[in-house]
Amino acid sequence: MSQSNVRKTRSWLLFWRGSDKGLAKCKTVTFGDPAAVEGGAIYGVLSVLTVGIVWQLVAMAQIVPPLFWPSPGAVFDKFIQIATEGYKGFNLFEHLGISLYRVMAGFGLGCLFGIPVGLGMGLNRFIKGWMDPLIEFYRPVPPLAYVPLVIIWMGIGDGGKVLLLFLATFSIIVISARAGVASVAIQKIHAAYSLGASRWQVLRHVILVNALPEIFTGMRVAMGVCWGTLVAAEMVAATSGVGWMVLNASRYLNTDIVLMGVILMGVVGFLIDMCMRKLEQKLIPWKGKGRG
Amino acid sequence: MSELRVQGVTMTYEGADGQPVRALENINFSMNQDDIVTVLGPSGCGKSTLLNIIAGFLNPTSGRVFIDDREIAGPGPDRGMVFQHGALFEWLTVGENVSFGPRMAGIDATSRLASVDELLQLVGLAGFRDTPIYNLSGGMQQRVALARCLANNPDVILMDEPLGALDALTREKMQTLVLKLWQETQKMVFLITHSVEEAIFLGSRLLVMAPRPGHVVKEFRLPFAAAGLSADPREIKSSREFIAVREEILEMIWSMEEQH
């Protein structure tokens, strides 16, 4: 085996099992050392497999009637069926698409308004003074708590959902953008002015860029909150979307559709977060390395 | 010939306990092209306040600062700043940091590139143009900081403890670099330090300051900076003249401490 193959195999092993090689082998204290819990992806695979097998075994033993405990196979069949034939007028991807559209619209608007307001609050006493009590007041209210109000004002259409997600995103982004401004080292601002930058250039090339890691962290959190809030909001009042599909199916005791929907929401939420993380690595490679 | 003049600068402000803090009292000095001025003093002697006033980050209570005939009224590219750490832009590469000043001034990219390469050569970072800042050691980061402020061709370079965060060996190498830049670029250098040895070695003139209120106690004119590049720095630092100055200054600083 060539040298590079050995190295590849080693890093593969490290990822899947976690391995004691190099300096790690010589350490006497492993309890509490973060390096000691690196790797171990194999256990994750085993854990998922175990859950699947237990699910299947319970279904096969018919301990619980299939009406309440459909087998993994039955859930998968439902997935294929709804993906091809649809559920109540829309196929699965249309339901998903509607949900994603609502999330993206609310989230996008929240960022569009939240970033400038947050930056303004971090930079200007007047803006901070005006906005602070309003945001501090509505921020702790769980977004679902104003669903009834949103329904009264906007009805059960897309507008209400978008408004709800906008509100959820807005406060999170405002706070992260404001914290991002506060995190800038004053030497960086001084250095920029001494290099001849104007106020506007300092804002654009130092303050805003410096705040990006914090803003992006806020966006990831907001995205998670949005997805959770939307699904719940669709369960309260909607005529389409993944959340609505699940709630509607539960009324007819279609447990297989409910389970399929829940798994789908989890998978989509996970994929969204993964995309955000990849995007973060690509856009903000300096994150967490600021000591320049 | 450019010249920096500090005329009767006094700085008083209200402290946290409501009592007035007399950070600086009637500071007067001037420096010109041949000078590298180092400032030494215990903490609280107002040396950073003085530097911030010259840089234009603080307005003095009274007194004025001039570069040639221009009165200073804020920060500007005629005064380059080098900080102890944390002032580089970690989202930019080495080259982008160095060309930051010209880019803000709207100077076109091709002439920028040429001067960036020259400056990196000058500070000993040739070949690092596209390296991210966060991959550099502390000493190399300070080299970038020096190149970055030189890119604007300033009249004076203001340094606030520029080598204070470096390890002892890197620090000695960087002292030589500071002298080299001073001699090759013919710019005024104003440098604050906590290290007595560094202040003596780098300063063609050395100001010793004392606190409450901050004022200049004594000025030295020293030969070591001019000789620093041609002779072995370690020999200079162990020469009898060098040690005599060092003992005199240490004596002064110790007596300041004892008064409080």
Side-chain angles (χ1 to χ4, degrees):
Chain A
M1 218 165 20
S2 77
Q3 197 70 28
S4 77
N5 268 338
V6 171
R7 209 172 301 128
K8 255 185 223 159
T9 313
R10 267 201 186 156
S11 68
W12 187 83
L13 258 179
L14 198 71
F15 175 74
W16 285 103
R17 197 185 70 76
S19 97
D20 300 316
K21 68 174 184 72
L23 187 63
K25 207 163 52 182
C26 309
K27 287 183 180 173
T28 59
V29 175
T30 51
F31 187 70
D33 182 353
V37 294
E38 269 168 24
I42 186 75
Y43 305 117
V45 175
L46 287 177
S47 127
V48 172
L49 273 179
T50 307
V51 170
I53 288 167
V54 169
W55 178 7
Q56 175 69 27
L57 286 178
V58 172
M60 275 161 57
Q62 303 239 339
I63 301 166
V64 186
L67 189 61
F68 302 113
W69 191 281
S71 70
V75 172
F76 185 73
D77 288 344
K78 256 303 178 271
F79 171 73
I80 300 292
Q81 189 201 331
I82 293 181
T84 49
E85 292 166 24
Y87 184 85
K88 306 269 164 103
F90 298 105
N91 82 27
L92 187 59
F93 300 106
E94 282 167 330
H95 281 298
L96 246 185
I98 291 162
S99 293
L100 281 174
Y101 157 75
R102 290 166 181 159
V103 166
M104 288 303 163
F107 175 80
L109 285 173
C111 292
L112 196 68
F113 289 93
I115 293 173
V117 169
L119 292 177
M121 285 177 73
L123 293 168
N124 186 293
R125 191 179 298 163
F126 177 79
I127 301 177
K128 190 199 82 182
W130 274 86
M131 298 301 296
D132 205 32
L134 303 180
I135 288 177
E136 286 303 321
F137 173 73
Y138 102 87
R139 187 176 63 98
V141 182
L144 281 178
Y146 26 77
V147 168
L149 196 60
V150 166
I151 292 175
I152 292 172
W153 283 345
M154 311 271 302
I156 61 167
D158 280 351
K161 310 277 177 302
V162 172
L163 176 66
L164 187 69
L165 299 184
F166 166 78
L167 289 171
T169 305
F170 183 75
S171 66
I172 296 173
I173 296 292
V174 164
I175 284 162
S176 64
R178 184 181 167 187
V181 174
S183 77
V184 65
I186 189 69
Q187 303 96 291
K188 286 190 172 55
I189 303 210
H190 279 177
Y193 276 119
S194 282
L195 290 164
S198 64
R199 237 169 184 297
W200 171 248
Q201 285 171 325
V202 169
L203 175 65
R204 153 99 178 67
H205 294 283
V206 182
I207 295 171
L208 179 62
V209 193
N210 185 81
L212 279 182
E214 306 243 7
I215 292 176
F216 217 93
T217 305
M219 283 166 80
R220 261 181 69 194
V221 173
M223 199 47 141
V225 170
C226 272
W227 185 240
T229 305
L230 172 78
V231 168
E234 283 176 346
M235 287 183 170
V236 178
T239 52
S240 59
V242 196
W244 172 80
M245 184 185 82
V246 167
L247 189 79
N248 195 270
S250 80
R251 295 217 171 102
Y252 302 98
L253 220 61
N254 289 327
T255 316
D256 42 7
I257 299 180
V258 173
L259 262 173
M260 187 270 284
V262 169
I263 293 172
L264 194 67
M265 290 171 205
V267 169
V268 170
F270 174 75
L271 286 180
I272 291 175
D273 193 55
M274 240 182 37
C275 291
M276 296 286 284
R277 259 189 275 180
K278 285 270 175 256
L279 206 62
E280 185 174 45
Q281 282 165 12
K282 190 136 188 74
L283 295 177
I284 315 173
W286 70 88
K287 184 176 181 179
K289 295 172 179 169
R291 55 182 194 128
Chain B
M1 280 293 269
S2 43
E3 185 196 27
L4 171 74
R5 268 179 298 137
V6 175
Q7 290 181 349
V9 164
T10 295
M11 184 76 182
T12 310
Y13 57 88
E14 196 178 316
D17 55 357
Q19 296 296 314
V21 177
R22 292 155 76 205
L24 291 172
E25 184 125 305
N26 196 24
I27 305 287
N28 288 288
F29 75 92
S30 69
M31 61 187 289
N32 59 39
Q33 204 107 33
D34 301 325
D35 291 330
I36 175 165
V37 173
T38 52
V39 183
L40 194 61
S43 43
C45 72
K47 54 191 192 299
S48 287
T49 306
L50 178 59
L51 183 122
N52 280 325
I53 288 171
I54 298 173
F57 301 137
L58 286 175
N59 270 325
T61 313
S62 63
R64 311 205 289 181
V65 180
F66 294 91
I67 289 195
D68 298 330
D69 292 323
R70 306 187 306 275
E71 184 171 357
I72 284 167
D78 53 342
R79 284 148 290 144
M81 286 290 301
V82 177
F83 297 87
Q84 186 172 8
H85 60 83
L88 292 177
F89 307 126
E90 65 263 20
W91 48 88
L92 302 178
T93 63
V94 168
E96 286 164 344
N97 264 279
V98 174
S99 65
F100 186 86
R103 195 162 73 243
M104 294 302 107
I107 291 165
D108 82 290
T110 42
S111 60
R112 235 160 45 205
L113 278 183
S115 70
V116 165
D117 283 336
E118 278 168 32
L119 285 166
L120 290 179
Q121 185 86 41
L122 184 67
V123 299
L125 282 179
F128 283 92
R129 200 179 72 198
D130 299 323
T131 309
I133 288 297
Y134 51 78
N135 285 348
L136 299 184
S137 66
M140 288 160 101
Q141 292 191 357
Q142 287 311 78
R143 287 171 194 263
V144 178
L146 286 166
R148 182 174 72 171
C149 85
L150 286 172
N152 269 348
N153 196 21
D155 295 315
V156 54
I157 304 173
L158 307 172
M159 304 197 196
D160 192 357
E161 296 256 5
L163 312 180
L166 304 178
D167 65 88
L169 285 175
T170 310
R171 189 169 189 157
E172 297 215 342
K173 276 189 216 159
M174 292 296 287
Q175 289 173 354
T176 313
L177 178 67
V178 169
L179 285 184
K180 180 183 147 196
L181 294 182
W182 169 59
Q183 293 188 0
E184 286 189 11
T185 63
Q186 296 273 301
K187 292 187 187 311
M188 295 185 277
V189 177
F190 185 86
L191 186 148
I192 287 178
T193 178
H194 265 125
S195 155
V196 176
E197 198 167 76
E198 184 168 284
I200 301 170
F201 182 60
L202 292 184
S204 70
R205 291 165 60 193
L206 191 167
L207 306 178
V208 180
M209 292 183 69
R212 283 171 287 263
H215 62 287
V216 177
V217 187
K218 185 165 179 184
E219 179 178 341
F220 291 83
R221 286 183 179 271
L222 302 169
F224 310 111
L229 279 186
S230 44
D232 180 354
R234 295 212 311 282
E235 248 167 52
I236 294 180
K237 285 178 186 173
S238 53
S239 69
R240 195 174 306 147
E241 299 86 342
F242 193 95
I243 291 171
V245 178
R246 193 181 71 196
E247 291 310 309
E248 185 184 348
I249 290 174
L250 281 173
E251 186 68 32
M252 287 166 70
I253 291 178
W254 277 114
S255 67
M256 282 176 213
E257 297 284 324
E258 276 162 17
Q259 284 166 16
H260 296 284

